[in-house]
Structures are given as C-alpha cells and as structure tokens.
Amino acid sequence: MEKIAIITDSCSDLKEEYRKENNIFVLPIQISCDGKTYRDGIDISSKEIYQLQKEHMLKTSSPVGQELFSLLESLKVNGYSHVIGIFLSAGISGTSNQMRLFSQSQEDLVCHIIDSKSASVGLGIIAIELAHYCQKGVTFEQAISYGEKLVEENYAYFSIDDLGFLQKGGRIGKASAFLGTTLKIKPILSFEKENGEIYVPSKVRGNKKVKSKLVELIEKHLEDHPHQKFALAIADGNNLEERNELEKMLKEKFPTFEYIIDGHVGAALSCYLGSGLLGVAIQFI
C-alpha cells in the first residue's frame, strides 16, 4: 500500500496544530540578513522581520539542503513510499522548481511537485485538504489529480499597506502599476491561475472598505460554484483586530463552510509583504 507524505514550505503559514492534526510536513524557508541566515518560524519571527526591514535588505531562499535531506530520510524510515510537495507559487518563488529538480534524485521515494499558485493560508488550505483526501486511502495518482484540482479551485486575496517591499524583492508582478498611485487607493492582490504571478483583481478607496471587498470577492466565487462544498482561510500580518472582524463577517455571510483556518503571516512572506496584511482564501472541495 502506498504511504503518501504531504510536504509544504513555511510560506503556507500553517499553525502547529494544523500541521499535527493533518500530518503535514513543513520545511522552513531561509532568510538572509547581513550575512546571517535564519529559518522561518524557527530562528526568527515576523515581528523581528518588521523591525529589521526598516533598515536592512532581506532575502529569502528555498529550503534545499540538509533540512530537506533530513526530512526525506526521516520519511523513508517511517515507511513513506510517496511524497507530494506543494509549495509557494512558482510565479513569485523558485522553491517549486528547485524541489522538483531535487526530487528527481530520490531513489527510494516517488515524488511529485505541485505548484500551488498561491501563498500563505491559500497555500496552507490546499495542503490541508489534500491531506484530508490522502487519509481516505487513495492512490498516489488520485492524490496528484485531486491536488491539481484543488489548485485550480483555490482563490486567495490580500491587501497590504506597502507595495514597496514586493517591488524591492522582485515579487510584484503585474501589481507594479499601483506603485505610483495615491495612498487612498488600496489594491487587492491575488494570483493569476496561468502562472501564479501577483496581479490586482480589484481595488478600494481607503482601508475601511478592504474587508467588505474581500467578502464580496469570495461571494462571487460562491455564485460561480453553487452547491459546491468549500472551506475558508484567513490571514493577517500584525493586523489581528481587522482579522477578527473579517472572520466574523465571513462566518455570518457564508455559514455553510466545511471548516475555517487562520494564520499569521510568517517571517519569510513578511520580508515582501510588510506589516498590515489582511487576506482571505476560499477552497472548493
């Protein structure tokens, strides 16, 4: 019987309770600052990133190396025969491609890499739902097919206070058109389905309208998927009060959700998103 492990990276922003409950393995993204390297969520937190990025240029890199090698060896020892890796969108990160190349050298594990075309809890909820599916005892090929379907029916939206960090990190994609706009215009960002790059599907005037617009965007997807089961995810970056209000709005507006997860944006993503993020994702299942 195939024993399938689900691996993701720390940009999934999955809380420890979600990881343990769903048996998901998480690799920490590496963060570099002034010649020092830190592991996302282990050696450094998002709060520390907010302070560092005021004066320093921060860089991130994929968790390819001893951390990955040790995890794969541990999986073999624990009887896993197959691995599905689902990582940060290839449109803003090279992690998926690097993991794909590394997995080709594995002899005792059958590996497949899926591009999430998402980030943060948008990525995290794909990993959770895929783990739920694998717990049913499906085959490796069935799990791959379902994982790719999840990606296509996953929609994540987020708003941030400063696009400058995305620009400096070279991750801004088609959102660059909003760099010179007035501060009163707040872009809502998302990921293109074609290549996973960041783009701007909507915008609002002023911070107070962000939550309502996020709810509206989710509602449109539900109208396009009548009677289909769904789960929700909420993320924030040092924006807990707004996150709590958004959660209340979502629960009141869409009470038929299967489950809802939440997460705080971790150190790696905070390097490019800064403080003040508010986001939501819907996963059709």
Side-chain angles (χ1 to χ4, degrees):
M1 181 178 176
E2 298 171 342
K3 187 176 181 182
I4 306 170
I6 305 299
I7 299 177
T8 186
D9 60 66
S10 56
C11 288
S12 59
D13 291 332
L14 286 175
K15 292 181 177 179
E16 187 67 24
E17 62 190 88
Y18 299 143
R19 302 180 189 188
K20 290 182 177 179
E21 181 181 343
N22 298 284
N23 201 30
I24 296 171
F25 302 92
V26 177
L27 288 164
I29 295 291
Q30 309 294 305
I31 300 166
S32 300
C33 179
D34 284 349
K36 296 182 180 179
T37 301
Y38 307 89
R39 293 169 297 171
D40 181 10
I42 299 175
D43 307 314
I44 195 167
S45 68
S46 55
K47 288 185 178 181
E48 292 170 302
I49 292 295
Y50 299 147
Q51 294 301 315
L52 285 172
Q53 65 189 174
K54 293 177 181 178
E55 299 179 0
H56 301 276
M57 180 65 182
L58 306 176
K59 295 183 178 181
T60 60
S61 57
S62 304
V64 177
Q66 187 59 43
E67 201 100 34
L68 175 58
F69 179 79
S70 297
L71 173 58
L72 295 180
E73 287 301 310
S74 174
L75 293 176
K76 295 175 188 178
V77 170
N78 285 283
Y80 286 94
S81 57
H82 295 71
V83 171
I84 297 179
I86 183 156
F87 303 105
L88 182 62
S89 174
I92 59 173
S93 169
T95 299
S96 286
N97 287 332
Q98 291 189 41
M99 291 296 183
R100 188 174 289 108
L101 290 172
F102 187 87
S103 67
Q104 293 173 356
S105 65
Q106 296 303 303
E107 296 181 356
D108 301 324
L109 283 172
V110 180
C111 302
H112 183 84
I113 307 301
I114 296 175
D115 177 8
S116 72
K117 299 179 183 177
S118 193
S120 189
V121 291
L123 163 58
I125 202 168
I126 296 174
I128 286 176
E129 187 54 35
L130 183 56
H132 289 173
Y133 188 71
C134 289
Q135 289 165 8
K136 299 176 181 178
V138 299
T139 67
F140 186 55
E141 291 302 321
Q142 287 174 325
I144 291 172
S145 178
Y146 188 64
E148 292 172 346
K149 177 178 178 291
L150 289 172
V151 169
E152 292 307 309
E153 296 195 336
N154 174 280
Y155 305 92
Y157 299 95
F158 60 99
S159 173
I160 56 178
D161 287 341
D162 188 353
L163 291 175
F165 296 119
L166 274 175
Q167 181 192 32
K168 291 176 183 177
R171 302 316 204 265
I172 198 163
K174 294 181 179 179
S176 58
F178 280 82
L179 281 170
T181 59
T182 171
L183 293 177
K184 293 181 180 179
I185 300 296
K186 191 117 176 178
I188 305 294
L189 310 178
S190 187
F191 298 90
E192 289 187 324
K193 286 302 178 187
E194 182 179 352
N195 53 27
E197 289 187 357
I198 293 175
Y199 80 114
V200 182
S202 188
K203 56 185 181 293
V204 296
R205 184 175 292 276
N207 288 335
K208 293 183 178 180
K209 296 182 180 180
V210 169
K211 294 189 295 295
S212 295
K213 176 56 69 172
L214 292 174
V215 171
E216 179 184 318
L217 289 165
I218 296 302
E219 185 174 26
K220 288 181 179 179
H221 288 298
L222 285 166
E223 291 172 354
D224 293 336
H225 295 75
H227 314 302
Q228 190 169 347
K229 293 181 179 179
F230 66 95
L232 296 169
I234 309 168
D236 81 282
N238 197 30
N239 201 5
L240 186 58
E241 183 176 346
E242 291 287 293
R243 190 211 71 84
N244 289 339
E245 291 181 13
L246 177 60
E247 180 176 5
K248 181 180 179 181
M249 292 170 67
L250 290 167
K251 287 181 174 179
E252 290 178 351
K253 187 74 173 180
F254 315 117
T256 59
F257 61 85
E258 294 293 308
Y259 59 89
I260 188 167
I261 67 168
D262 69 291
H264 303 297
V265 176
L269 284 179
S270 293
C271 293
Y272 304 108
L273 300 176
S275 177
L277 177 141
L278 188 64
V280 64
I282 185 167
Q283 178 66 66
F284 291 98
I285 56 182

